[in-house]
Amino acid sequence: MIERATVVGLLCPAVTLLRLLAAREVADFAEWYRAGAEYTDRVADGMDFDRAGANATGADPLAEPAETVAALREGRTDLPPEPARVVAATYLGDAAFGRPFLAYTPRWYRLALAGPVALAARRLRRIAAPFSEGVATVGGDAPDRPSPEPAYTAPSDLAVDADAVAAVRDAGGFEAFERSFVLADAVLHTEWFAHVADAAGIVVPQDLVDRTVRESAAHYTGGRESLSPDVRRFQRLLFADDAWVRDIDASYRLNSALFGVWERVLREERRRLDRASRN
């Protein structure tokens, strides 16, 4: 039986996101950036990816985020190019995340979240703008173009049968919501991580990203029994975004039933992958 908190969280999602929209200034988004930076750093460390993006002083904008976070808390936008690029990539990655994510989920969920997600995306893009515009090419003098938003994979672009996502998304009931939520996150958090990691100079093999998206799409739509070991390891680390959800909920004092549902679904999938890794 679905717990009452789960029902409330899923029937009233707009309340949580509208509370977040009270955040309007650069300083209001400092904890948002911190949570994203710490998440990206944990995944990169867990995968032993090459951290080639340290700047000339040896500072790593993700492994050593304290100075950047302190500047954001003061409302400053005059960051050096390296951290400015990562800040812009984080905010723009999140701004672009919601709409494609909803495309994977049941119609009732898309309708409930569409408005708040669009408002949150506009807010994040506005906050990202001064960082994106101020970015310069690392190691050079010519101004770089603003950090682009990632191009997330739509359900119709996955390398699975055209009806596979619909079969997961539209099956009905809470189980369909959970399965579609996990499928969406498995694809999109892979692409979000690759986007932010690239901005931070972290070397993420494109072959691994492509295989992770391809295998995960097949696995979470029922066409593949298990993930290959390196993809499973990558997804196990990426599904630690339950900690990101918990961090945002606590940092912004949301006490959100919706975030509680998200956290539980993500945590359960991370633990399942962890068990599979040990077998």
Side-chain angles (χ1 to χ4, degrees):
M1 181 177 293
I2 301 174
E3 296 179 359
R4 180 177 182 276
T6 299
V7 175
V8 172
L10 292 175
L11 291 180
C12 306
V15 174
T16 293
L17 296 187
L18 288 173
R19 287 177 190 165
L20 279 173
L21 293 180
R24 293 177 176 274
E25 307 300 330
V26 169
D28 298 328
F29 286 86
E31 301 311 313
W32 190 284
Y33 169 73
R34 177 194 54 74
E38 290 177 356
Y39 169 73
T40 308
D41 182 58
R42 286 193 298 269
V43 175
D45 273 359
M47 291 299 294
D48 297 318
F49 290 141
D50 182 14
R51 309 293 286 259
N55 65 22
T57 67
D60 186 317
L62 287 176
E64 303 171 28
E67 187 173 342
T68 299
V69 173
L72 295 176
R73 287 171 178 163
E74 294 172 3
R76 290 171 46 205
T77 60
D78 57 335
L79 301 179
E82 294 89 346
R85 178 178 285 109
V86 182
V87 170
T90 300
Y91 291 154
L92 291 174
D94 287 334
F97 193 89
R99 185 173 181 181
F101 194 101
L102 291 181
Y104 286 81
T105 61
R107 184 172 183 271
W108 60 267
Y109 191 77
R110 297 198 300 274
L111 291 175
L113 268 293
V117 161
L119 288 172
R122 288 198 292 271
R123 187 68 51 78
L124 283 162
R125 289 184 179 111
R126 181 176 66 80
I127 293 297
F131 303 102
S132 185
E133 291 165 2
V135 167
T137 304
V138 175
D141 297 324
D144 199 1
R145 62 187 174 87
S147 299
E149 296 184 7
Y152 292 115
T153 300
S156 59
D157 294 331
L158 293 176
V160 295
D161 182 84
D163 296 327
V165 175
V168 171
R169 180 186 61 205
D170 303 328
F174 184 68
E175 183 179 352
F177 164 76
E178 286 186 313
R179 290 184 61 202
S180 66
F181 191 95
V182 170
L183 167 63
D185 202 47
V187 172
L188 301 184
H189 67 192
T190 302
E191 295 173 335
W192 183 97
F193 171 82
H195 168 71
V196 177
D198 178 68
I202 296 170
V203 181
V204 183
Q206 187 59 46
D207 174 68
L208 176 62
V209 174
D210 293 342
R211 285 192 298 109
T212 299
V213 170
R214 185 172 61 252
E215 289 187 22
S216 297
H219 179 59
Y220 290 111
T221 56
R224 182 185 176 104
E225 183 175 352
S226 61
L227 302 172
S228 58
D230 57 342
V231 169
R232 184 170 60 242
R233 177 189 177 194
F234 195 19
Q235 282 291 17
R236 179 171 53 83
L237 290 161
L238 288 166
F239 269 106
D241 46 8
D242 69 311
W244 181 92
V245 172
R246 186 167 57 253
D247 193 341
I248 294 297
D249 189 55
S251 296
Y252 289 90
R253 298 180 176 87
L254 300 175
N255 192 27
S256 168
L258 173 64
F259 273 43
V261 173
W262 291 353
E263 181 187 350
R264 182 181 61 78
V265 172
L266 297 170
R267 182 179 63 246
E268 288 179 356
E269 181 56 22
R270 174 173 53 79
R271 289 176 175 174
R272 186 189 72 82
L273 291 168
D274 188 52
R275 290 192 298 271
S277 297
R278 294 196 300 266
N279 292 338

